[in-house]
Amino acid sequence: MMHWQAIGALISKDLRLFFRNRFFAFITVLSLVVFIGVYFVMPRTVDETISLAVYAPGAGGEALLRLMQAEGAEAEGLILLMMGSDDALRQAVLDEDAVAGLALPADLQPALLAGGRPTVGLYLRADAAPEMQEMMQALIEGLSLALSGRALQIEVRAETLGPDLAGEQIPYRDRMRPLFAVMVLMMEVFGLASLLSEEIESGAIRALLATPLGVRELFVAKGAVSLLLSLSQAVLLLWAIGGLGQQALILLVALLLGAAMVTGVGFLVAASGRDMLSVTGLAMLALLLLSVPPFGVLFPGLVTGWARIIPSHYLATVVHQAGNLGAGWGQIWQPLLILLAFDVAIGWAGVAVLKRRFA
Amino acid sequence: MTQNAIVAENLVYRYGHLTAVDDISFAVAEGEILGFLGPNGAGKTTTVRMLTGQSRPHGGRALLLGLDVARETAAVQAQIGVCFEVANLYEQMSAIENLALFGKLYGVRDLDVDALLRRVGLDGRGRDRVAGYSKGMKQRLMVARALAHRPRILFLDEPTEGLDPVSAEAIRNLVLEERARGVTVFLTTHDMLEADRICDRVAFINQGRIAALDTPHSLKQRYGARVIEAQVQGAGGALETRQIVLDKPETPEAVQALFSQEQVVTIHSREASLEDIFIRTTGRGLA
């Protein structure tokens, strides 16, 4: 049976020690202020340059290029990315390298000249502006006119890739929300790991474990302190920067799972570090590593597939898709589940190695 | 009838291939102070860890107040107080906060922190952070922490090591007060004089085994020899020491010869110390 009074006493003690440590108190407040400040000084508008990916195995591609040059499209901010296959085209849209993709059939020009009505594939990103489809439609009509002398000769089959969400372009500062969330959560690794490491080094843990308090209660208390501190800060941050405006429940669940991840990482760091300096170094390393995936949200295409082995990738994905794109449970259950699996694995490893240090 | 508060039955503990505690057995009666003496690495701390439920024995078992320590660890730990050799207090908290924390961990509802601090001579300093305490004050607070829940058995690991005489005496007096209250005390120490003064029995542990266990008086009788030590004027004027063992058939003649043949400057009798007996029974010193 859990010894709840003892757990409560430990939580109260850790919170007291946390806030008595001027360093932790300082970096906690500082990180919140800095992240909120950075958010509000970033532009609320976006760069209107549009990248269009095109897969054109026949003469259609060249015709499109000629048409765009004639229209002076590049000067207007339209950039063409020529892709080698339909799969590469879809991936470019999914990876956010292009806002839309056009798949032209190989026989586009002959079909048009023969009076046929060929079909052109239009792939749109979930967060593409509603005007994007209209703009692409106009572009395709212009292409039809250039190739056959008649407009409306081409059938357009529009397909939304990724979560089917009609939305607006997302300013960079909103894209930074996952990065802020991960970083503010990670700040607690410093606090938790240092508190634990100090207790191990001073032998205070030994004094605790000589009382009727069990190891299980000790871990519950430590986990609760870490969850409380990291989750409250992350929620406060997202609330302050307007990140809880939509799908708040999903975001809270994601942040809770993120806080659990941070707790496991904190246990691992505390077990691996031998003193305050090594704990700080290891915590910094973990912070840097876990901050990589959110950069992929901020700068699409910057981070490649390997980021998927970092658990924060799934946290960043959920915070971005739910918070910025309004994705629902149906669209984000998978990354949430993977994040939960990471939590279990990291938490188990953290408890196991930390127990060895208690012995 | 006096019951045993602590019973160790064939306790074994290994660190890899090294056997730190090698099949030791002993019992400590309720209200008794047992001194556990041995050099560094002899297995004292490992034994204490097994007895207090911090480590599980690899062989044998320990019973405290009739409870198996390995099976009923929490129930045992609720009735024991442990004072560690190294100060492991929360230094950023005050003495009152430290004691209140451990009171809650033990489920004590009526903890009188002020009275406890008065007992260890820390009244008036309870609100100060422990980081500002001297070594003696920290040690006294550690003893207070171990007493917070009025334990029936007290484990003290080198409680007076490195302390000034006043602090050391204060802790010894606390130990004797607790014994008078019926508390059983398991005292680990290097200090043979301290053990001689306050322990009802002492156990010598060496290389994981108990070399001797008895009252200090019995050990002295069994292993020690009473001697007369005399300083005499030597040939060149320098002082020389002569030693005559008492309780032997030839002793009277030796004493007579000393006074008739030597110029005696000083003379006194000396009892064997626990340290002498430790060296004799284990073949090594305590360092």
Side-chain angles (χ1 to χ4, degrees):
Chain A
M1 206 178 79
M2 281 282 181
H3 191 174
W4 292 109
Q5 192 197 0
I7 291 172
L10 285 182
I11 292 173
S12 159
K13 180 262 300 174
D14 279 342
L15 290 175
R16 186 177 291 139
L17 288 175
F18 182 88
F19 287 105
R20 277 189 190 166
N21 185 317
R22 286 180 190 168
F23 174 68
F24 298 147
F26 176 70
I27 61 166
T28 298
V29 174
L30 182 72
S31 59
L32 274 174
V33 170
V34 167
F35 293 148
I36 293 170
V38 167
Y39 176 83
F40 283 108
V41 297
M42 288 194 72
R44 55 171 67 220
T45 53
V46 294
D47 179 2
E48 293 296 335
T49 303
I50 294 167
S51 299
L52 176 65
V54 179
Y55 170 53
E62 287 169 27
L64 185 64
L65 273 175
R66 279 200 305 274
L67 171 69
M68 287 181 58
Q69 280 161 1
E71 299 282 327
E74 204 157 336
E76 297 290 327
L78 184 65
I79 297 163
L80 274 193
L81 303 171
M82 303 308 292
M83 310 310 296
S85 68
D86 189 66
D87 285 342
L89 177 70
R90 285 167 177 268
Q91 199 57 49
V93 177
L94 279 173
D95 289 347
E96 306 186 5
D97 294 335
V99 291
L102 272 184
L104 308 180
D107 61 343
L108 178 66
Q109 194 164 24
L112 281 169
L113 293 174
R117 194 175 168 80
T119 302
V120 169
L122 170 61
Y123 303 138
L124 289 165
R125 222 163 62 194
D127 56 345
E131 301 80 26
M132 184 59 65
Q133 190 168 346
E134 293 167 23
M135 187 182 141
M136 288 298 122
Q137 190 86 32
L139 188 71
I140 291 162
E141 284 172 10
L143 181 65
S144 169
L145 192 65
L147 293 176
S148 65
R150 286 173 294 175
L152 302 173
Q153 275 298 98
I154 297 177
E155 190 78 38
V156 177
R157 179 178 45 80
E159 188 179 338
T160 302
L161 301 179
D164 188 7
L165 305 160
E168 295 179 352
Q169 300 240 26
I170 302 165
Y172 271 117
R173 66 178 198 170
D174 290 352
R175 285 179 173 276
M176 284 184 80
R177 284 176 184 149
L179 178 66
F180 289 154
V182 168
M183 290 189 83
V184 84
L185 283 172
M186 279 303 297
M187 284 297 162
E188 285 325 305
V189 170
F190 288 97
L192 175 67
S194 301
L195 277 176
L196 265 168
S197 173
E198 267 182 36
E199 281 184 307
I200 294 169
E201 289 305 307
S202 71
I205 284 284
R206 203 164 274 291
L208 293 180
L209 293 177
T211 70
L213 180 82
V215 177
R216 194 175 51 153
E217 277 103 346
L218 186 67
F219 277 110
V220 168
K222 296 291 174 195
V225 169
S226 173
L227 284 179
L228 189 69
L229 285 171
S230 51
L231 186 62
S232 59
Q233 286 178 70
V235 170
L236 180 66
L237 175 82
L238 277 197
W239 171 79
I241 62 178
L244 294 174
Q246 55 180 341
Q247 302 292 16
L249 183 61
I250 292 175
L251 288 169
L252 290 178
V253 170
L255 292 179
L256 179 66
L257 293 177
M261 170 189 76
V262 160
T263 302
V265 173
F267 286 165
L268 282 173
V269 170
S272 312
R274 295 284 150 186
D275 51 32
M276 183 74 174
L277 196 65
S278 59
V279 163
T280 307
L282 287 169
M284 186 63 79
L285 194 67
L287 172 68
L288 289 175
L289 190 67
L290 292 174
S291 301
V292 170
F295 275 105
V297 174
L298 190 58
F299 304 108
L302 183 72
V303 180
T304 50
W306 63 265
R308 288 170 195 275
I309 61 167
I310 303 174
S312 55
H313 167 78
Y314 301 95
L315 172 64
T317 300
V318 175
V319 172
H320 174 60
Q321 292 197 356
N324 290 333
L325 308 176
W329 292 105
Q331 285 129 343
I332 51 81
W333 67 270
Q334 219 170 355
L336 275 179
L337 203 63
I338 295 171
L339 183 57
L340 177 65
F342 266 114
D343 284 354
V344 172
I346 295 171
W348 176 83
V351 168
V353 292
L354 207 48
K355 268 168 105 171
R356 287 177 66 88
R357 284 222 54 199
F358 291 170
Chain B
M1 184 182 133
T2 307
Q3 291 187 327
N4 285 327
I6 303 172
V7 177
E9 292 177 353
N10 309 104
L11 283 180
V12 176
Y13 197 88
R14 298 183 199 90
Y15 294 103
H17 295 296
L18 176 75
T19 303
V21 174
D22 190 4
D23 195 25
I24 64 171
S25 299
F26 59 87
V28 187
E30 274 189 44
E32 184 183 15
I33 301 179
L34 178 76
F36 210 56
L37 305 151
N40 292 331
K44 300 191 299 287
T45 302
T46 305
T47 303
V48 171
R49 283 186 184 173
M50 286 190 284
L51 293 177
T52 56
Q54 296 176 72
S55 299
R56 190 175 278 263
H58 294 141
R61 65 174 186 161
L63 300 172
L64 265 67
L65 303 166
L67 301 169
D68 188 322
V69 178
R71 289 166 193 262
E72 295 167 274
T73 310
V76 168
Q77 288 175 329
Q79 304 197 62
I80 64 172
V82 185
C83 178
F84 298 81
E85 181 184 4
V86 181
N88 53 6
L89 298 153
Y90 286 100
E91 304 229 339
Q92 294 309 315
M93 299 196 325
S94 68
I96 291 174
E97 289 169 336
N98 268 281
L99 293 177
L101 168 66
F102 278 79
K104 282 179 187 160
L105 294 181
Y106 282 106
V108 181
R109 294 184 187 278
D110 57 344
L111 178 64
D112 188 345
V113 174
D114 292 331
L116 205 49
L117 289 172
R118 257 195 314 278
R119 271 194 79 191
V120 296
L122 289 175
D123 42 328
R125 299 295 304 271
R127 293 187 193 285
D128 297 348
R129 286 205 187 166
V130 175
Y133 280 18
S134 68
K135 186 176 179 186
M137 290 167 73
K138 285 179 186 171
Q139 199 64 38
R140 278 184 276 160
L141 181 58
M142 297 252 293
V143 174
R145 185 179 69 181
L147 296 175
H149 57 295
R150 292 185 285 278
R152 290 176 64 190
I153 304 175
L154 198 52
F155 288 87
L156 302 170
D157 194 357
E158 307 282 0
T160 57
E161 170 98 346
L163 296 191
D164 63 272
V166 176
S167 293
E169 193 59 24
I171 287 175
R172 281 185 211 113
N173 288 336
L174 272 171
V175 172
L176 292 172
E177 280 171 33
E178 287 301 308
R179 195 257 304 266
R181 208 168 61 78
V183 172
T184 307
V185 181
F186 191 92
L187 174 71
T188 306
T189 183
H190 273 99
D191 188 338
M192 293 289 182
L193 288 175
E194 179 174 272
D196 204 354
R197 270 184 61 194
I198 67 172
C199 294
D200 297 310
R201 288 191 301 153
V202 292
F204 293 153
I205 182 166
N206 186 39
Q207 295 179 328
R209 287 176 169 271
I210 291 181
L213 197 167
D214 213 329
T215 63
H217 179 71
S218 299
L219 286 172
K220 285 172 191 171
Q221 284 215 319
R222 195 182 323 155
Y223 296 105
R226 294 187 305 140
V227 295
I228 287 175
E229 266 186 6
Q231 284 193 312
V232 298
Q233 197 81 53
L239 291 178
E240 293 174 3
T241 302
R242 301 280 184 266
Q243 203 172 65
I244 299 168
V245 177
L246 296 175
D247 308 321
K248 287 192 170 179
E250 63 274 21
T251 302
E253 285 171 19
V255 173
Q256 201 172 15
L258 175 71
F259 281 98
S260 59
Q261 294 167 18
E262 308 263 15
Q263 190 182 343
V264 178
V265 179
T266 65
I267 186 165
H268 61 269
S269 63
R270 187 174 71 81
E271 224 180 11
S273 68
L274 283 181
E275 188 151 9
D276 297 333
I277 298 164
F278 185 87
I279 292 167
R280 190 163 164 201
T281 53
T282 65
R284 61 187 288 196
L286 272 177

